[in-house]
Amino acid sequence: MKDLMGMMKQVGQMQARVQKMQEELALMEIEGQSGGGLVKITLSGKGDVRRVQIDPSLAKPDEVEILEDLIVAASADAKSKLDAAMQEKMQEVTGGIALPPGLNLF
């Protein structure tokens, strides 16, 4: 029974750390870019698009397809960076303990 109480205490502490981490992530902004910085997309910690910056040199009617590709690439870059930041935060919360597949605390 002593072990169970200790485990429950640790679970409660982890839940508090996860809550704090989620609050910190909500405040984060992650920027992804493509085209050597000509297109930049900023995501919130929850993955919502906050800003899109496009260098005026790309605003040419005959290059719309290139611009669209660069926006997609910048978005993917930002998402990748956000995923890495979330993994890093999760490692801090769990103390490096690997969680079972499918257990999502976000």
Side-chain angles (χ1 to χ4, degrees):
M1 190 61 125
K2 181 180 176 185
D3 289 340
L4 180 58
M5 295 302 285
M7 187 183 299
M8 294 303 289
K9 182 178 178 183
Q10 288 178 339
V11 168
Q13 291 171 345
M14 185 178 290
Q15 285 176 329
R17 289 193 304 260
V18 167
Q19 177 67 30
K20 183 178 181 206
M21 178 194 60
Q22 288 173 334
E23 291 168 3
E24 289 173 1
L25 282 172
L27 298 174
M28 287 177 59
E29 287 192 350
I30 303 291
E31 182 181 278
Q33 58 180 320
S34 65
L38 294 174
V39 174
K40 297 177 184 176
I41 293 184
T42 304
L43 299 180
S44 72
K46 292 185 176 190
D48 299 324
V49 176
R50 291 258 174 95
R51 276 185 300 288
V52 176
Q53 296 172 294
I54 301 170
D55 187 279
S57 67
L58 295 174
K60 297 177 185 173
D62 59 333
E63 295 181 3
V64 171
E65 190 172 317
I66 293 170
L67 179 56
E68 291 169 345
D69 290 343
L70 289 172
I71 290 171
V72 170
S75 180
D77 183 46
K79 178 71 169 113
S80 172
K81 290 176 181 177
L82 176 60
D83 290 344
M86 292 173 82
Q87 277 297 111
E88 184 179 320
K89 290 282 187 185
M90 183 54 72
Q91 289 292 325
E92 291 174 17
V93 169
T94 63
I97 298 171
L99 297 176
L103 181 62
N104 189 0
L105 298 178
F106 296 106

